[in-house]
Amino acid sequence: MIAVSGIQKSSSRFHTIIHLCSFLIVIYSFTMLMPIAVALFYKDGYITPFLITFLLSLFIGVVGWKMTSEENKNLQKRDGFMVACLFWLIFSLMSALPFLLDRRLDLSLTDAMFEGVSGITTTGASIFSDIDELPKSILFYRAQLNFLGGLGIIVLAVAIMPFLGIGGAKLYQSEMPGPMKEEKMTPRLADTARNLWGLYSVLALGCAVAYKLAGMNWFNAICHSLSTVSLGGFSTHSDSLGYYNSAAIELVGGVFSILAAINFALYYIVLVRRSFKPIWYNAEVRFFILILSIVVGIACLELNRTQTFDIKDSLVHGFFQTVSVMTDNGLGSAGYPNWPSHIVLLLLGASFFGGCFGSTCGGIKAVRFLLLYRQGIREIHQLVHPNAILTTKISGQVVSDRVIRSVWGLFFLYIFFTCVFVWGLVAIGHDFATAFGTVAACINNMGIGYGDTASGFGTLKDAAKWLMCVAMLFGRLEIFPVLIIFSRAFWRF
């Protein structure tokens, strides 16, 4: 009887997951209407790939929704991990479909999948060698993928989950980055998600206006703003922002990359309290700005010392490129990554740092490094005073040992899988410099390669591209959710 009850319970949970994923597919299908509108507006003559993707995903979503609509929808915590992983996999497949169906692009399944995963995970690594010649609808679609992946379409879906009769809190915890996933801005999760997307959209609008004022036309300004605030890195030009050779445009890109790398929850608190103190006194933000300032300073000094640029260009390019790589934006300028190798290595290392949790950045996140630093200081003091009772605090709050253990666990797994992916690329046949730079670009969702991938990822072998798709998804989901659904404990009744 217990076994039968367990099977029934498992079947009910499975139907709930399919029901929720089907709903999210329906929501995502409607995003294909925007590239269709762009194709019609610019008369680029080919809406078929987006139309087929829209109709196919809408059909699959509606069928799945209807077939499971009578089930009892109880979403458990571990189900949220399953939904997050499943839907990002479905996301990737759907995102790749327009690239595969567009006959003008002539992409293989491998290349289409790589471009789709790269876009939706906000990695920004592209297999296209001549981006300037792509149709306007494809250029906009790539930017849109970045934007949707930035904060997570799942968070958008959570905003209207009350209409489904499904509690979204557990799913929200699975999707949002950072170790303190239980925190919410408002008592109601739906309000939280709406506020996040509202702030996100306002930031994108401000970025688009700033790019326009700096010299871009409206189309490029909108596309680059979607890529910038999502820290996604897809550009409308092969030379990225370097195409414009404009200090003003690079400064806009750098400033908005920093803004996008700060916890969006803090922006909401600022609006409610009408004070910038919550941001200024936040320990993680201060730590992030401190480390960013140090890396920017070193990069600017070294660019000038090595006579790569004069003083003015060293300051402009050093600031923008450091911010872009460290926040895992991935927009490029001024010939990077063909700068002196020690500067490139510094920035590749900084890409593992990332920005603040609750932002659109990739990487390990600043708060984790801050926790590890303070835990290290705590251990030194504990060795000096063995009988003392010491705690680790962030912004005046004691951090529980459970959170610290999860940070150590994530840190170990992040480095471990980075080494595994580097080894994999070397085993496939790429040199070590290319392997390390490519893995750093993909697992950190940063998007700028090194070595053979410095000018694009189309040079990767097919096996390497599939491996890097896995690395991008690992980075986007922060490893734990993927490992959880492959664990035995997850599948026990």
Side-chain angles (χ1 to χ4, degrees):
M1 292 295 294
I2 294 177
V4 173
S5 176
I7 293 173
Q8 290 176 342
K9 183 178 180 181
S10 178
S11 177
S12 177
R13 288 174 49 219
F14 178 75
H15 280 86
T16 299
I17 291 171
I18 296 298
H19 185 77
L20 183 53
C21 283
S22 298
F23 167 74
L24 295 175
I25 291 171
V26 170
I27 294 296
Y28 187 61
S29 69
F30 283 98
T31 66
M32 297 298 157
L33 298 180
M34 285 300 296
I36 291 176
V38 172
L40 292 174
F41 182 81
Y42 285 99
K43 298 181 175 61
D44 68 15
Y46 206 59
I47 65 172
T48 306
F50 303 110
L51 186 59
I52 292 176
T53 304
F54 166 66
L55 294 175
L56 180 62
S57 55
L58 181 63
F59 174 76
I60 293 173
V62 170
V63 169
W65 169 268
K66 290 293 185 181
M67 290 179 63
T68 56
S69 60
E70 301 300 322
E71 295 294 326
N72 182 26
K73 305 172 187 63
N74 293 317
L75 189 66
Q76 300 179 15
K77 180 176 182 178
R78 62 181 183 176
D79 297 335
F81 295 111
M82 173 62 82
V83 173
C85 291
L86 266 182
F87 196 69
W88 277 102
L89 180 60
I90 296 169
F91 248 1
S92 301
L93 293 170
M94 292 173 60
S95 300
L97 199 55
F99 295 120
L100 184 63
L101 294 175
D102 196 326
R103 291 175 299 189
R104 296 168 300 181
L105 305 180
D106 193 26
L107 296 184
S108 65
L109 174 62
T110 298
D111 286 345
M113 193 68 186
F114 185 91
E115 195 77 11
V117 173
S118 178
I120 204 63
T121 59
T122 70
T123 302
S126 182
I127 52 87
F128 290 114
S129 58
D130 194 357
I131 295 173
D132 299 76
E133 298 302 317
L134 293 177
K136 285 286 198 297
S137 57
I138 292 293
L139 291 174
F140 178 83
Y141 176 63
R142 294 166 79 246
Q144 178 180 275
L145 284 180
N146 279 173
F147 185 73
L148 294 174
L151 204 55
I153 194 91
I154 295 179
V155 179
L156 175 62
V158 166
I160 52 179
M161 274 186 186
F163 297 103
L164 302 179
I166 299 175
K170 302 303 181 185
L171 180 61
Y172 181 82
Q173 289 176 4
S174 302
E175 165 59 15
M176 289 304 292
M180 303 174 190
K181 298 174 184 285
E182 294 85 359
E183 292 186 358
K184 295 186 291 185
M185 292 185 291
T186 63
R188 295 187 64 225
L189 185 59
D191 292 338
T192 299
R194 291 189 189 100
N195 289 326
L196 284 170
W197 275 97
L199 291 167
Y200 190 50
S201 300
V202 168
L203 188 63
L205 178 61
C207 185
V209 172
Y211 273 134
K212 180 64 172 66
L213 293 175
M216 289 186 182
N217 61 39
W218 274 116
F219 178 80
N220 287 319
I222 291 172
C223 289
H224 281 99
S225 71
L226 298 181
S227 297
T228 300
V229 300
S230 64
L231 299 178
F234 272 157
S235 176
T236 57
H237 301 289
S238 297
D239 293 331
S240 195
L241 292 194
Y243 170 87
Y244 296 96
N245 192 26
S246 167
I249 287 176
E250 290 187 35
L251 289 175
V252 169
V255 169
F256 277 91
S257 293
I258 294 174
L259 293 176
I262 293 175
N263 188 345
F264 277 74
L266 294 177
Y267 291 134
Y268 175 78
I269 296 172
V270 164
L271 292 175
V272 171
R273 298 184 183 178
R274 298 182 181 179
S275 170
F276 285 98
K277 289 183 179 180
I279 291 181
W280 176 245
Y281 289 108
N282 181 270
E284 183 191 19
V285 173
R286 293 170 69 126
F287 185 65
F288 165 65
I289 296 299
L290 172 64
I291 301 301
L292 179 65
S293 299
I294 292 173
V295 179
V296 167
I298 294 173
C300 292
L301 287 173
E302 285 301 294
L303 285 173
N304 183 249
R305 185 186 69 81
T306 57
Q307 299 182 345
T308 305
F309 301 108
D310 59 26
I311 295 178
K312 176 189 173 183
D313 287 342
S314 293
L315 292 173
V316 173
H317 299 321
F319 165 74
F320 166 73
Q321 199 60 68
T322 300
V323 170
S324 180
V325 174
M326 186 166 165
T327 62
D328 300 309
N329 187 341
L331 290 170
S333 72
Y336 179 87
N338 296 316
W339 293 356
S341 57
H342 69 289
I343 302 177
V344 176
L345 183 60
L346 171 69
L347 300 191
L348 284 176
S351 71
F352 286 87
F353 186 87
C356 303
F357 89 89
S359 71
T360 60
C361 71
I364 296 175
K365 308 291 189 303
V367 69
R368 292 192 176 104
F369 280 99
L370 178 58
L371 281 169
L372 293 176
Y373 166 74
R374 293 193 174 175
Q375 178 67 7
I377 297 298
R378 173 186 168 184
E379 289 301 314
I380 292 174
H381 291 166
Q382 194 76 67
L383 290 171
V384 175
H385 305 285
N387 297 323
I389 300 176
L390 303 175
T391 58
T392 301
K393 294 183 178 181
I394 296 290
S395 296
Q397 297 182 351
V398 176
V399 179
S400 69
D401 288 338
R402 183 196 67 80
V403 171
I404 293 175
R405 287 196 303 271
S406 73
V407 169
W408 275 113
L410 188 281
F411 185 80
F412 165 74
L413 290 172
Y414 210 97
I415 301 303
F416 173 77
F417 279 104
T418 296
C419 294
V420 169
F421 289 132
V422 170
W423 178 86
L425 289 189
V426 173
I428 289 170
H430 295 283
D431 63 87
F432 179 77
T434 297
F436 176 74
T438 301
V439 171
C442 291
I443 198 169
N444 294 326
N445 305 128
M446 181 263 292
I448 303 180
Y450 187 60
D452 293 342
T453 58
S455 58
F457 291 75
T459 57
L460 288 175
K461 298 179 180 180
D462 281 358
K465 290 174 184 174
W466 285 107
L467 185 62
M468 290 302 95
C469 285
V470 176
M472 288 185 274
L473 289 169
F474 265 53
R476 185 63 182 87
L477 288 166
E478 295 192 335
I479 300 175
F480 271 129
V482 181
L483 298 184
I484 285 172
I485 66 170
F486 282 104
S487 67
R488 288 185 178 182
F490 180 84
W491 294 103
R492 289 173 184 162
F493 295 137

